[in-house]
């Protein structure tokens, strides 16, 4: 087997020594080329080269969810073709590693490498669905390029939190759960749209859902982790179905306290619920329109402001090693 290992040297939970050990372990089982990323988007470029190559069987992403997202977008630059494209494997190296953990991999990079090698020997893989987001035709965002996401996206409040976290990290702050919680509070206090939602969800053959303040799109469950605690925004979301959406139309102090508590106590059986919560399951096509530009995030990466985004749930998009 010939494999490409994409290494993010800035991965927050792996040292250079650990990465060297992992590279040697993988190289003992396959013909391995390891490339360290050097700029934003480099992992995407490497994934694209692997997709266009005729002799790469496997791409291993060693990094966090952002690295995985870039690799996936490179692999699928010409669209999904599970039977022909290289398979994807993940060695978690970020602070949260939602995608890897949703696949059932250990959160420790060394343990995950061992699990990966066992899976390759036993030929364990699955074909998963992914989400695709693009600018909506006929709107000012129609020229925005489409982008794949592996586990979640969001328009509005949660994307604003991620944007704030990225600003803090650029100032040298470490990515910790405490940092995220502080930015949630600041986003709540500063968000000018939390009293009157600006988002409308439209889907074919259904009435629109209007006045949403928050919209979280899930491709799997859990939505994220707080340390070792899984958080379920859309408990029914799965790599084997379309996309799920959680929308909130009220974010008063009392409502935020209620929904935050529901998230922290969520389970595979029950997520946030109530009169101002909208939960939609297994959607294939829908569009989010906003009356004002709002922040957009995918797989925990802030992508700027958007007024209209069209989402597609694509079943059986990519083969992954599990």
């Amino acid at each position: 087997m010939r494999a490409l290992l994409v290494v993010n040297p800035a991965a927050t939970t792996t040292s250079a020594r650990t990465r060297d050990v992992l590279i040697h372990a993988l190289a003992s089982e396959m013909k391995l080329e390891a490339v360290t990323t050097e700029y934003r988007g480099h992992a995407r470029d490497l994934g694209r080269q692997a997709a266009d190559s005729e002799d790469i069987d496997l791409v291993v992403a060693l990094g966090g969810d952002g690295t995985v997202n870039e690799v996936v977008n490179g692999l699928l630059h010409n669209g999904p073709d599970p039977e022909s494209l290289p398979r994807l494997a993940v060695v978690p190296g970020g602070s949260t590693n939602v995608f890897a953990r949703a696949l059932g991999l250990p959160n420790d990079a060394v343990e995950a490498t061992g699990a990966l090698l066992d899976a390759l020997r036993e030929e364990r893989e699955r074909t998963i669905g992914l989400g695709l987001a693009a600018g909506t035709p006929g709107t000012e965002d129609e020229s925005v390029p489409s982008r794949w996401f592996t586990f979640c996206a969001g328009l509005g409040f949660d994307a604003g939190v991620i944007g704030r976290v990225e600003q803090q990290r650029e100032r040298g702050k470490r990515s910790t759960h405490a940092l995220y919680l502080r930015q949630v509070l600041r986003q709540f206090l500063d968000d000018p749209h939390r009293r009157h939602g600006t988002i409308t969800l439209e889907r074919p053959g259904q009435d629109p859902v209007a006045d949403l303040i928050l919209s979280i799109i899930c491709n799997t469950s859990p939505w994220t982790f707080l340390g070792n605690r899984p958080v379920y925004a859309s408990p029914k979301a799965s790599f084997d179905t379309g996309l799920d959406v959680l929308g909130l139309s009220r974010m008063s102090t009392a409502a935020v306290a209620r929904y935050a508590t529901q998230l922290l106590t969520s389970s595979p059986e029950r997520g946030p619920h109530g009169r101002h919560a909208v939960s939609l399951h297994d959607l294939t096509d829908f569009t989010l329109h906003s009356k004002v530009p709002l922040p957009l995030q995918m797989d925990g990466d802030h992508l700027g402001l958007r007024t209209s985004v069209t989402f597609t749930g694509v079943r059986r998009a990519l083969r992954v090693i599990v």
Side-chain angles (χ1 to χ4, degrees), residues 107 111 160 171 198 225 289 297:
N107 198 36
E111 292 183 15
R171 296 170 185 165
T198 66
F225 291 83
H289 299 287
Q297 67 89 7

Side-chain angles (χ1 to χ4, degrees), residues 215-238:
S215 55
I216 296 172
I217 300 94
C218 292
N219 186 49
T220 188
S221 188
W223 165 52
T224 190
F225 291 83
L226 284 176
N228 292 321
R229 179 194 292 272
V231 179
Y232 299 88
S234 296
K236 294 181 181 180
S238 167

